Amino acid sequence: MLSKVSSATMALGTLAAPHLERGATQALSSLTNQSNAEASSQVEIAGEVAAGTASAMSTMYKALETSSKILATNIASNTVSIVSHKYGTEVDAVKDAAIAGPEGICKSTVEDPN
C-alpha cells in the first residue's frame, strides 16, 4: 500500500511542481526584491531539501516497519520458549492454539475432544 501511495504522490508532485516552482519564484522575487534567477535558485535548493527530507522519512518508515515485524516475530518465539520451559509442553500447546485465534482453538478442540 505504501508503494501505491508513494507512486500517487510522485505523479501529483510531477504535475504540480512546475506550477508551484513558478509561483514560488515570483513570490520570493517580489517579496525579497531579488532577481528571478536568484529566487529560482533558492526555490530549487528548497525543493532539493524537501525531496531529501521526504526520501529520508520514507526510509525511516520502512526501517521502522521492518524492525517492528522482526520484533514481533522474536517476541512470539521467545514467548513460546518461556512458556514451554516454565509451564511444560501441555500449556505450550494450549498457548499455541490460543495464539492461532478462534480457528486454532476450534481445530484443537475437534482434534482432541477431551
Side-chain angles (χ1 to χ4, degrees), residues 29-43:
S29 170
S30 67
L31 290 172
T32 60
N33 295 325
Q34 292 180 341
S35 68
N36 278 344
E38 291 174 332
S40 178
S41 174
Q42 289 182 348
V43 167

Side-chain angles (χ1 to χ4, degrees), residues 10-111:
M10 285 294 293
L12 179 63
T14 302
L15 290 172
H19 304 290
L20 292 173
E21 187 174 356
R22 252 191 318 272
T25 299
Q26 289 174 354
L28 187 61
S29 170
S30 67
L31 290 172
T32 60
N33 295 325
Q34 292 180 341
S35 68
N36 278 344
E38 291 174 332
S40 178
S41 174
Q42 289 182 348
V43 167
E44 187 177 318
I45 291 169
E48 289 177 13
V49 170
T53 301
S55 177
M57 292 299 293
S58 174
T59 302
M60 286 175 43
Y61 178 82
K62 287 178 184 177
L64 288 172
E65 185 179 31
T66 302
S67 296
S68 68
K69 288 177 185 177
I70 292 168
L71 182 62
T73 301
N74 289 337
I75 287 172
S77 176
N78 288 333
T79 300
V80 169
S81 298
I82 290 169
V83 169
S84 178
H85 177 74
K86 188 169 184 176
Y87 298 107
T89 55
E90 289 180 4
V91 173
D92 184 45
V94 171
K95 183 232 8 109
D96 285 340
I99 287 176
E103 183 179 322
I105 293 171
C106 292
K107 281 183 182 178
S108 65
T109 304
V110 169
E111 290 172 3

